[in-house]
Amino acid sequence: MSVTLNTKFTAGFIADHEFTSIEPEAARAFRLLKSHTGPGSDFLGWMDLPVAYDKEEFARIKVAAARIQKSCDILVVLGIGGSYLGARAAIEFIKSPLYNNLKKDTPDIYFAGNNISTTALNELLSICEGKDLCVNVISKSGTTTETAIAFRVFQSLLISKYGEKEAAKRIFATTDRRKGTLKELSDRCGYETFTVPDDVGGRFSVLTAVGLLPIATAGIDIDAMMQGAADARAQLSDESLFSNDALRYAAARNILMRKGKKVEILVGYEPYMLMLNEWWKQLFGESEGKDQKGILPDSVVFSTDLHSLGQFIQDGSRILFETVVNIQNPGSTFEIPSDPENADGLNFLAGKTLDEVNKTAMLGTLFAHTDGGVPNMILEVSDRTAYSFGYMVYFFELACAVSGYMLGVNPFDQPGVESYKKNMFALLGKAGYEHEREQLAQRMK
Ligand code: PA5
């Protein structure tokens, strides 16, 4: 297995009998999922996706990625939340957070349409000057404001740069199969479209065209990624916490939450995990944080953040537990050199690899944090390949869905996200929001 859960460091916090006594709840949650009888069961397409994906579209994704690689210096990916985090996480995890700066024969990839920042947009426009561009606009609803504003800008840039006909060959839209503003506009303008399946929500969509087109464009093996997810689906299929690590992880989170551990910190020891952390935070935060319930997902990259949040984790409010993602094989090596002068006193490290030091920092931190009252689970991930990424995505999606059902929420909706939009539209004077606008005006007096 590419991903396994190590609960050695939770021993002082969760007794074996607690796993045994919560097992029926986890099994029941898993059965609800498998039988499609729980809340949100219209959004379970992600469960069979690794084996039941649209093969024709998958082939088209590869063709489109090859075309983008051939014709563009820069691919601009427009999308927000589930419509960009997975692709960005994959590219940074498998390739590098410095992907755009690497020597490579694939295009630079920039993500936009995920904020409303003037600075970010202007900076990207200036980076794009004089470069050959392609755009992949991704929005299931087709109406998300952040993405739509950015698309208006980049669509018009491509049309003025290449003319309508050539621009149409450089714009790829990933959206609803049938409906929505983006779908209508793409059909009208002749853009190639890819589908966000009806039964897959944004945060569960990385293994659809939403994630796969940018990921394939970065030169990542999407067949291997799907295979990893397919193997996870096959291997994480039984209802016992003692043989299904995704269920065990879900159960451990729930046990800890009931003991007052309301914050889970996902810990990586590699900068290439930063965006994976962000993807994971959305997955768990948007799935569980509702009905005034849920574990708050937070994240750190150590050892960097041991020098910032380390103090709080070691010694602050005891509301936390950590899930450490340990990448066993770093994929490359670096040996710490010896120095005859030893002026810095570091010769005790000479000849060790940097990864040995990193892993030792991890071990030291595991002891320190558990001694400080912070339960730690370790997710052992064999490497940073596309295969392991796909496996890990499925592991977390399954654990998240089971956790949500154990918590008694619908893990597949996100009603809370609408509140800010309603206020923003009202304040901006969008038609249909006149009443809300009036109410907010009263409150501002
Ligand atoms: O997970 C989700 O549902 C959200 O993060 C959405 O993906 C995000 O709000 C973007 O929505 P859309 O794809 O409709 O533009």
Side-chain angles (χ1 to χ4, degrees):
M1 284 192 206
S2 190
V3 177
T4 52
L5 186 72
N6 171 350
T7 48
K8 202 161 54 192
F9 283 89
T10 56
F13 302 93
I14 306 175
D16 280 348
H17 70 83
E18 293 179 271
F19 277 118
T20 311
S21 69
I22 205 171
E23 186 172 28
E25 280 184 55
R28 184 186 152 275
F30 196 19
R31 277 198 297 279
L32 276 181
L33 271 179
K34 288 197 282 195
S35 59
H36 289 223
T37 50
S41 59
D42 289 347
F43 289 94
L44 296 179
W46 58 271
M47 291 186 75
D48 292 330
L49 200 59
V51 288
Y53 59 91
D54 178 340
K55 309 284 185 308
E56 181 274 329
E57 179 168 89
F58 196 77
R60 264 194 319 116
I61 288 171
K62 290 182 185 171
V63 173
R67 190 142 61 84
I68 296 168
Q69 288 168 345
K70 233 166 98 182
S71 57
C72 298
D73 302 313
I74 293 178
L75 170 67
V76 180
V77 179
L78 307 176
I80 192 166
S83 288
Y84 96 104
L85 283 167
R88 191 160 174 193
I91 293 168
E92 297 207 1
F93 183 86
I94 298 159
K95 290 285 178 173
S96 170
L98 303 177
Y99 166 81
N100 284 344
N101 305 94
L102 296 178
K103 242 196 218 156
K104 60 190 184 306
D105 52 11
T106 49
D108 287 351
I109 298 179
Y110 287 94
F111 292 88
N114 55 56
N115 55 59
I116 324 177
S117 159
T118 311
T119 310
L121 183 62
N122 277 331
E123 283 173 355
L124 181 56
L125 287 170
S126 103
I127 288 169
C128 288
E129 268 170 36
K131 299 283 169 70
D132 271 322
L133 305 175
C134 288
V135 170
N136 179 199
V137 53
I138 307 170
S139 177
K140 183 172 184 177
S141 63
T143 53
T144 301
T145 312
E146 290 87 340
T147 307
I149 294 172
F151 185 52
R152 180 181 275 209
V153 173
F154 279 94
Q155 182 192 35
S156 122
L157 174 66
L158 262 68
I159 291 173
S160 64
K161 191 174 165 83
Y162 298 108
E164 289 209 6
K165 222 167 137 205
E166 175 62 20
K169 293 187 196 146
R170 292 173 174 273
I171 296 175
F172 301 83
T174 307
T175 186
D176 189 272
R177 190 185 304 278
R178 285 171 291 270
K179 56 180 192 309
T181 313
L182 181 58
K183 175 65 180 157
E184 285 158 27
L185 191 150
S186 302
D187 287 346
R188 202 170 54 242
C189 299
Y191 305 151
E192 179 163 8
T193 58
F194 296 92
T195 302
V196 194
D198 292 343
D199 57 357
V200 179
R203 58 190 174 275
F204 288 83
S205 71
V206 54
L207 300 177
T208 70
V210 169
L212 295 177
L213 181 55
I215 290 170
T217 302
I220 292 167
D221 182 350
I222 57 173
D223 287 292
M225 189 173 285
M226 295 307 279
Q227 189 58 52
D231 288 351
R233 178 180 169 278
Q235 287 163 15
L236 303 171
S237 61
D238 72 51
E239 290 171 12
S240 166
L241 298 186
F242 300 94
S243 52
N244 185 334
D245 279 0
L247 255 59
R248 189 173 175 82
Y249 172 51
R253 300 176 78 250
N254 274 264
I255 293 169
L256 293 170
M257 184 192 69
R258 291 171 200 183
K259 293 183 179 192
K261 305 295 184 191
K262 304 287 191 197
V263 178
E264 177 178 13
I265 305 183
L266 194 74
V267 180
Y269 277 77
E270 296 282 353
Y272 60 71
M273 288 187 51
L274 195 73
M275 291 309 296
L276 178 80
N277 287 350
E278 295 304 314
W279 171 84
W280 173 89
K281 281 196 283 200
Q282 188 206 358
L283 180 67
F284 279 84
E286 225 172 55
S287 300
E288 288 193 313
K290 51 198 69 161
D291 307 336
Q292 288 79 57
K293 293 196 271 195
I295 298 169
L296 175 68
D298 194 4
S299 67
V300 291
V301 173
F302 288 163
S303 66
T304 313
D305 294 331
L306 284 171
H307 298 258
S308 56
L309 280 182
Q311 170 62 37
F312 191 106
I313 297 170
Q314 185 66 47
D315 208 20
S317 308
R318 301 297 72 189
I319 53 171
L320 316 165
F321 66 97
E322 291 174 293
T323 300
V324 178
V325 179
N326 176 34
I327 310 299
Q328 293 171 328
N329 178 356
S332 66
T333 189
F334 187 91
E335 193 178 296
I336 299 172
S338 173
D339 177 354
E341 307 262 307
N342 196 26
D344 52 14
L346 277 184
N347 271 356
F348 72 103
L349 296 176
K352 291 191 194 302
T353 67
L354 208 50
D355 198 54
E356 277 177 82
V357 179
N358 203 21
K359 297 277 196 297
T360 309
M362 183 178 83
L363 189 60
T365 307
L366 282 163
F367 281 120
H369 286 184
T370 48
D371 287 349
V374 179
N376 267 253
M377 286 183 269
I378 308 170
L379 209 60
E380 303 283 1
V381 177
S382 48
D383 51 42
R384 55 186 292 217
T385 57
Y387 177 91
S388 291
F389 184 87
Y391 199 112
M392 195 167 41
V393 161
Y394 198 88
F395 180 100
F396 277 134
E397 288 178 348
L398 179 59
C400 177
V402 170
S403 275
Y405 278 169
M406 290 178 77
L407 195 62
V409 299
N410 175 356
F412 306 110
D413 65 1
Q414 53 284 327
V417 181
E418 295 311 310
S419 303
Y420 97 92
K421 291 185 194 168
K422 193 166 60 102
N423 289 343
M424 180 178 76
F425 290 146
L427 293 166
L428 287 169
K430 187 171 177 176
Y433 290 82
E434 293 77 7
H435 177 63
E436 286 84 355
R437 184 175 167 80
E438 185 50 38
Q439 283 182 326
L440 290 174
Q442 292 297 331
R443 284 172 65 183
M444 286 193 296
K445 272 185 190 156

